[in-house]
Amino acid sequence: MSRAGLRFWSAVLAVAVFLIDVLTPLEGAVAVLYVVAILLAARTNRRDDTIVAAAGCVILTISAYLLSHGLETIASPALRALVSLAAIGITTLLALQNHAATKRLAAQARLLNLSHDMIFVRDRGGVITFWNKTAEQVYGWSADDALGQLADELLQTQYPDRREIIESGLLDTGRWEGRVRQRTKDGAALTVDARWALQHDRLGKPVGVLETHTDVTDRVAAHSALVQSEQRYRRMFDASRIGVVEEDWSKLRAALRSLEIAGTSLRDHLAQHPDFVRHARRLAGITDVNPALQAMAGADRASAFIENVERLLGADDRSFLGALIAFAEGEPFYEGETELVRLDGRKVPVLFTITFPPGPDGDRNVLAFVVDITERKQAQDALLAAQAELAHAARLATLGELSASIAHEVNQPLAAIVTSGEAGLRWLRREVPDLKEVAATIGHVVAQGRRASEIVTRVRAFLKKAPAQRDLLEISEIVEDAALLVARELANDDVALTVETEQGLRPIRGDRIELQQVLVNLLINAAQAMSGQPGPRTITLRAGAVDGENLAITVQDSGPGIRPDDLPRLFDPFFTTKHGGMGMGLAICRTTVEAHGGQLAAESTPGAGATFRLTLPYSQEHP
């Protein structure tokens, strides 16, 4: 009934009681019935309506008494009137107290409606007696639909244990918490964290349960997805045939931050402080290794590696420095080649990639992927051996082309020796031997003999068949030796050779004979390219620095150049532009240079000569 209706019927009832009290001969306390009118007014839940109804009933009670009995002496009618007024007063007071209590409860209910959790109250039989707004929004049932329903049936609740056991625990402790599954009005499944609190009356008897539910469906789904992802990762981690190492570089990050670098780059600072790099290797902790890496390192369990990368790297490893710099500079990954030290001390050549995940926890989840390249190394060694054989054959062929020049080079000091010897004999045969002149001629003989020996030594070294060496070399010496080997050949072809070597070039590491062969091949090719060409024939051999890490050697001729169609195939095996050529010279040259960590390239403008550019890295060591 509406508030207006309640007010109307309250007034009608009060008037009816007044008329009965005044117009009928009843002697009882009819005015007591005014309390019904007050109770009707109180149902509007407005304090003013209750007070107005009570005041009206008091006025009607007094008016009825005066109209019926006047101001006669106090007798039983007066007592009945007083009883009626007392009943009206008490009823009004109780109604106002109930209104205040209801108002407080309504305020509390509004607070519950503000909660982000679903909250409802059920009695001991499981019937819902309160249903907040969030419950309406999440579950889909309005409060009117939910009130009076059995909570378990309405929500199709699925418990983690038997319902009886849960209810028994609630009675024992007064509280219960757990995760349950429920259904919404639309049939959607929800996973909620439930918290129950048992309500008691004044006598301590359980009368109801307050349930607070938090929707964790998305959280549970995310956790489940994370668990599945972890399981997939673990399966891949364990089943991969590539070695995988999980590492923790957080301590290493802290050590890098503590470095005091005054005006130098990190690379230069670390190069100047090798002790820090060795210390950093011990800070990079290993947290796990997969079975593939265990087999690679000759271990039967992952616990053998739960230390640091010092356990896996050899003393002469240089790859960790590059990885350390990449890590400090925020690179996402670093790739390299090194040797892994097995537990039995044997070394295994490997390729590796280290990934540095972003984020605050990335330093604790560094992953290194390791591939055993032992078989590839063996195949590469076999290929290098075959290449060495082919290069030796090429040197023999080159020597055949230079035979005339070599014979001339050797003949010159021999002729000089003979001439000096004859001159010395003449000085001795004189009546008075000129010992000073004899000593001078003997000195010439010794000098020319040494010159002949150097020529023979140079030719023998060029023909030497031996494994490739990696020595510290001065590039100026290699350039000078190569120029001396081809000098006579170039002179016979009227080719002028100019050598320009920059002073102070740092040493390189490589094989002297292989690099000499590269330069000799390039110089002979340049001379042959200008064969039969009218006009001046010149070759410029230059050696100079490119940057702080590389040097370059260029061979530039004044010949006809290389045709644009031939340039892309110039270094392909068996491709040649010379009549009767094998097509292996330039292919061997490029392979040799790349084996030294360098590059060999050619550029040409038809009619303006060709330029071959050989780039080699400096040695990182000091001689």
Side-chain angles (χ1 to χ4, degrees):
M1 187 180 297
S2 65
R3 286 177 177 174
L6 290 171
R7 293 190 190 105
F8 173 76
W9 288 110
S10 176
V12 169
L13 181 59
V15 172
V17 172
F18 173 76
L19 294 176
I20 293 172
D21 192 14
V22 172
L23 301 178
T24 63
L26 296 175
E27 294 296 334
V30 177
V32 174
L33 297 177
Y34 284 120
V35 298
V36 179
I38 295 172
L39 292 175
L40 283 175
R43 293 197 58 186
T44 62
N45 291 324
R46 293 179 64 89
R47 186 171 182 275
D48 293 344
D49 290 345
T50 304
I51 294 173
V52 170
C57 290
V58 169
I59 293 171
L60 291 176
T61 300
I62 295 173
S63 300
Y65 175 77
L66 293 175
L67 290 175
S68 300
H69 305 288
L71 295 176
E72 63 185 30
T73 58
I74 297 176
S76 59
L79 292 175
R80 290 195 295 271
L82 290 174
V83 170
S84 298
L85 290 175
I88 292 172
I90 292 171
T91 302
T92 302
L93 180 60
L94 292 176
L96 291 175
Q97 289 179 345
N98 182 67
H99 173 75
T102 303
K103 189 174 182 180
R104 286 194 301 272
L105 291 175
Q108 294 172 358
R110 284 195 296 272
L111 290 176
L112 293 178
N113 282 328
L114 294 176
S115 173
H116 294 291
D117 292 333
M118 298 85 79
I119 300 175
F120 63 87
V121 178
R122 59 177 174 84
D123 60 21
R124 293 289 291 117
V127 176
I128 298 172
T129 58
F130 174 79
W131 188 261
N132 79 335
K133 292 293 184 183
T134 306
E136 290 184 345
Q137 296 168 359
V138 174
Y139 290 123
W141 287 283
S142 67
D144 292 337
D145 294 334
L147 295 179
Q149 300 285 336
L150 286 173
D152 287 353
E153 293 182 1
L154 182 69
L155 300 174
Q156 302 179 36
T157 307
Q158 298 177 11
Y159 294 96
D161 204 346
R162 294 208 318 272
R163 184 71 171 77
E164 297 80 9
I165 296 176
I166 294 174
E167 194 70 21
S168 176
L170 176 66
L171 293 174
D172 290 340
T173 62
R175 292 184 176 277
W176 179 80
E177 293 185 6
R179 182 164 291 175
V180 299
R181 292 180 60 83
Q182 296 176 327
R183 291 279 179 180
T184 66
K185 185 177 182 180
D186 296 332
L190 295 182
T191 302
V192 299
D193 282 342
R195 294 172 297 280
W196 294 1
L198 192 62
Q199 294 177 313
H200 300 83
D201 59 15
R202 293 179 179 180
L203 300 177
K205 181 181 178 181
V207 294
V209 178
L210 174 69
E211 293 196 20
T212 303
H213 292 178
T214 303
D215 186 1
V216 294
T217 305
D218 294 339
R219 189 192 313 168
V220 170
H223 177 72
S224 177
L226 179 61
V227 170
Q228 292 177 2
S229 176
E230 288 289 339
Q231 291 174 345
R232 285 196 300 270
Y233 166 75
R234 176 51 62 178
R235 286 196 298 270
M236 290 187 291
F237 183 82
D238 291 337
S240 174
R241 298 187 64 183
I242 297 175
V244 184
V245 187
E246 288 183 340
E247 300 177 6
D248 182 354
W249 285 35
S250 55
K251 293 182 180 178
L252 204 154
R253 174 77 73 186
L256 286 171
R257 287 173 177 167
S258 66
L259 283 179
E260 296 182 0
I261 303 176
T264 60
S265 67
L266 178 63
R267 183 182 295 274
D268 292 340
H269 180 85
L270 294 179
Q272 297 168 7
H273 298 81
D275 291 342
F276 177 84
V277 178
R278 286 192 292 271
H279 175 63
R281 284 173 35 160
R282 293 190 290 272
L283 295 179
I286 295 177
T287 56
D288 198 4
V289 296
N290 74 335
L293 191 105
Q294 296 173 35
M296 199 181 301
D300 56 358
R301 63 189 187 281
S303 59
F305 299 94
I306 308 303
E307 294 181 17
N308 50 58
V309 297
E310 184 80 10
R311 185 70 177 270
L312 292 176
L313 299 179
D316 56 349
D317 172 77
R318 300 186 182 279
S319 63
F320 186 79
L321 175 60
L324 183 60
I325 293 172
F327 174 69
E329 294 179 349
E331 298 292 335
F333 64 90
Y334 178 78
E335 297 177 343
E337 182 176 339
T338 187
E339 289 183 328
L340 180 148
V341 181
R342 289 170 52 92
L343 297 184
D344 58 9
R346 271 196 313 120
K347 293 184 177 180
V348 179
V350 297
L351 288 176
F352 68 89
T353 298
I354 302 180
T355 62
F356 306 113
D361 295 329
D363 295 349
R364 300 181 182 276
N365 297 288
V366 174
L367 291 178
F369 300 90
V370 185
V371 179
D372 185 349
I373 57 171
T374 301
E375 295 182 358
R376 195 180 84 170
K377 276 289 187 182
Q378 292 172 348
Q380 186 178 11
D381 290 342
L383 179 62
L384 290 176
Q387 178 185 324
E389 292 285 347
L390 188 58
H392 183 251
R395 286 199 294 273
L396 291 175
T398 302
L399 187 63
E401 296 180 9
L402 298 177
S403 57
S405 298
I406 294 171
H408 179 79
E409 288 289 334
V410 174
N411 190 52
Q412 279 186 333
L414 292 179
I417 289 172
V418 172
T419 302
S420 297
E422 291 174 347
L425 289 174
R426 286 195 299 271
W427 290 113
L428 286 174
R429 288 171 183 161
R430 294 182 65 174
E431 292 182 3
V432 181
D434 191 339
L435 297 180
K436 183 177 180 181
E437 291 293 338
V438 171
T441 56
I442 292 175
H444 291 159
V445 169
V446 173
Q448 293 300 323
R450 288 176 175 170
R451 179 185 171 193
S453 177
E454 289 176 357
I455 293 172
V456 173
T457 299
R458 194 160 57 240
V459 172
R460 289 183 63 188
F462 188 70
L463 290 175
K464 186 177 180 182
K465 180 181 178 182
Q469 303 295 320
R470 289 294 181 267
D471 303 319
L472 283 176
L473 306 173
E474 295 291 340
I475 200 64
S476 58
E477 297 177 1
I478 297 174
V479 169
E480 182 180 352
D481 289 347
L484 289 173
L485 281 171
V486 300
R488 185 63 185 175
E489 184 74 14
L490 298 183
N492 290 339
D493 289 337
D494 295 326
V495 176
L497 174 62
T498 302
V499 179
E500 301 175 1
T501 304
E502 185 179 314
Q503 297 298 318
L505 291 176
R506 288 160 51 189
I508 63 172
R509 181 167 286 279
D511 187 279
R512 180 185 299 273
I513 302 305
E514 288 184 353
L515 294 177
Q516 282 182 3
Q517 180 180 2
V518 171
L519 294 182
V520 168
N521 281 353
L522 295 179
L523 291 170
I524 291 177
N525 285 350
Q528 291 175 346
M530 296 184 291
S531 178
Q533 173 182 296
R537 304 172 189 173
T538 62
I539 297 177
T540 303
L541 177 60
R542 294 189 180 92
V546 176
D547 50 37
E549 298 184 357
N550 299 279
L551 61 81
I553 304 172
T554 58
V555 178
Q556 183 177 7
D557 64 54
S558 60
I562 305 169
R563 295 190 305 171
D565 293 342
D566 294 337
L567 198 59
R569 300 184 296 160
L570 199 60
F571 296 98
D572 291 348
F574 307 112
F575 174 78
T576 181
T577 59
K578 295 188 295 185
H579 179 69
M582 294 175 58
M584 291 300 297
L586 288 178
I588 293 174
C589 288
R590 169 171 276 187
T591 304
T592 301
V593 172
E594 290 177 348
H596 283 74
Q599 294 180 339
L600 178 61
E603 57 185 35
S604 174
T605 302
T611 300
F612 287 82
R613 182 181 179 86
L614 187 160
T615 305
L616 292 170
Y618 289 125
S619 172
Q620 299 300 317
E621 310 166 56
H622 296 289

